[in-house]
């Protein structure tokens, strides 16, 4: 595990690896060359894939990272991510991607506020069945303090009072597949950019009846549905659940259509 040493000069780390851990100096140099790499996800991944020995030893790792970066790109948030090969966590139970969330701010330097990763066998140690999971731990006190300060600043600047967030739009699909999952991510990203409160179904194989149950239970007023037919035509189905009306809307007109429907609701 190298993450405790990230603030040390590489020569100090190498010295400990060779002198204290007994690693061959050539092996330590090869590790050092890799763990000091950090950068834009897709560019760094493409660079690493030129290393045939690394590709051979990583198995499906490259394919999984490529899929992850595609999902992040579909949600228009890939620019907020950095691919850092020095990151290491819990090598005895993490089996896939690991991550840290770092607050970036001009006013404060908070550092990591959350971290976690994929572990396929940890739950099985405590039960009779294997349950692949992705887990994350939060520095909850730090996060709540930051959120509270941000809310107070916003209220002081704009006036009014702090309101509990609600969801106005749910984005779902009647059928399965990565193509539709990417489209749901793309739609949600465009709605978030327009300050429309929405959420989506992240499942590769969503069930329409469960999605409708969830929307009803949460009292979400609008439902956006995108299926294979809609993709081909460049449209979505926009359902106004309160008025029981359905509108076929072009993707580029979706934001305006949603805001028109929500305006009297939020007035």
């Amino acid at each position: 595990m190298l993450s405790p040493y990230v603030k040390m000069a590489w020569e100090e780390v190498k010295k400990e690896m060779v002198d204290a851990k007994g690693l061959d100096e050539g092996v330590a140099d090869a590790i050092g060359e890799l763990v000091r790499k950090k950068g834009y996800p897709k560019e760094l991944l493409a660079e690493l894939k030129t290393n045939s020995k690394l590709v051979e030893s990583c198995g499906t790792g490259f394919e999984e990272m490529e899929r992850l970066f595609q999902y992040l790109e579909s949600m228009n948030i890939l620019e907020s991510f950095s691919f850092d090969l020095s990151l290491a966590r819990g090598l005895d139970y993490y089996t896939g991607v690991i991550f840290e969330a770092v607050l970036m701010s001009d006013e404060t330097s908070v550092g990591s506020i959350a971290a976690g990763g994929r572990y396929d066998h940890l739950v099985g140690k405590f039960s009779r069945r294997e349950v692949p999971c992705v887990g994350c731990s939060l520095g909850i006190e730090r996060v709540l303090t930051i959120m509270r300060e941000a809310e107070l600043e916003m209220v002081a600047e704009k006036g009014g009072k702090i309101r509990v967030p609600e969801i106005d739009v749910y984005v779902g699909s009647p059928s399965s597949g990565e193509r539709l999952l990417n489209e749901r991510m793309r739609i949600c990203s465009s709605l978030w950019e327009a300050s429309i409160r929405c959420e989506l179904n992240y499942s590769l194989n969503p069930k329409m009846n469960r999605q409708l149950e969830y929307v009803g239970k949460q009292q979400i007023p609008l439902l956006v549905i995108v299926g294979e037919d809609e993709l081909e035509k460049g449209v979505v189905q926009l359902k106004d659940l309160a008025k029981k009306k359905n509108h076929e809307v072009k993707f580029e007109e979706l934001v305006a259509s949603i805001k028109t429907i929500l305006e009297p609701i939020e007035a």
Side-chain angles (χ1 to χ4, degrees), residues 178-245:
E178 284 203 18
R179 186 183 179 204
L180 287 176
L181 175 56
N182 275 289
E183 187 64 17
R184 293 196 298 276
M185 290 177 173
R186 188 171 74 91
I187 291 171
C188 246
S189 178
S190 70
L191 298 184
W192 287 328
E193 286 179 4
S195 299
I196 294 173
R197 300 169 295 191
C198 67
E199 69 178 275
L200 73 148
N201 187 295
Y202 288 96
S203 172
L204 275 174
N205 303 294
K207 306 298 182 186
M208 199 66 230
N209 60 333
R210 290 185 181 177
Q211 294 175 82
L212 292 173
E213 279 179 23
Y214 178 80
V215 169
K217 191 177 292 185
Q218 299 296 321
Q219 297 182 320
I220 300 173
L222 298 179
L223 172 62
V224 171
I225 295 178
V226 57
E228 294 291 349
D229 291 342
E230 285 77 17
L231 268 181
E232 294 302 321
K233 295 193 291 183
V235 301
V236 298
Q237 301 297 325
L238 176 59
K239 294 182 179 290
D240 184 340
L241 300 176
K243 295 182 178 179
K244 297 183 179 178
K245 290 184 177 180

Side-chain angles (χ1 to χ4, degrees), residues 161-177:
K161 60 181 181 179
I162 297 173
R163 181 183 179 190
V164 177
E166 300 169 351
I167 301 300
D168 293 319
V169 183
Y170 183 87
V171 181
S173 294
S175 50
S176 61

Side-chain angles (χ1 to χ4, degrees), residues 53-64:
K53 291 184 178 179
L54 194 60
V55 171
E56 184 179 346
S57 65
C58 285
T60 61
F62 282 118
E63 181 183 333
E64 291 169 0

Side-chain angles (χ1 to χ4, degrees), residues 113-114 137-144:
I113 59 172
S137 60
L138 297 173
I140 192 66
E141 290 185 5
R142 182 180 288 183
V143 171
L144 290 175

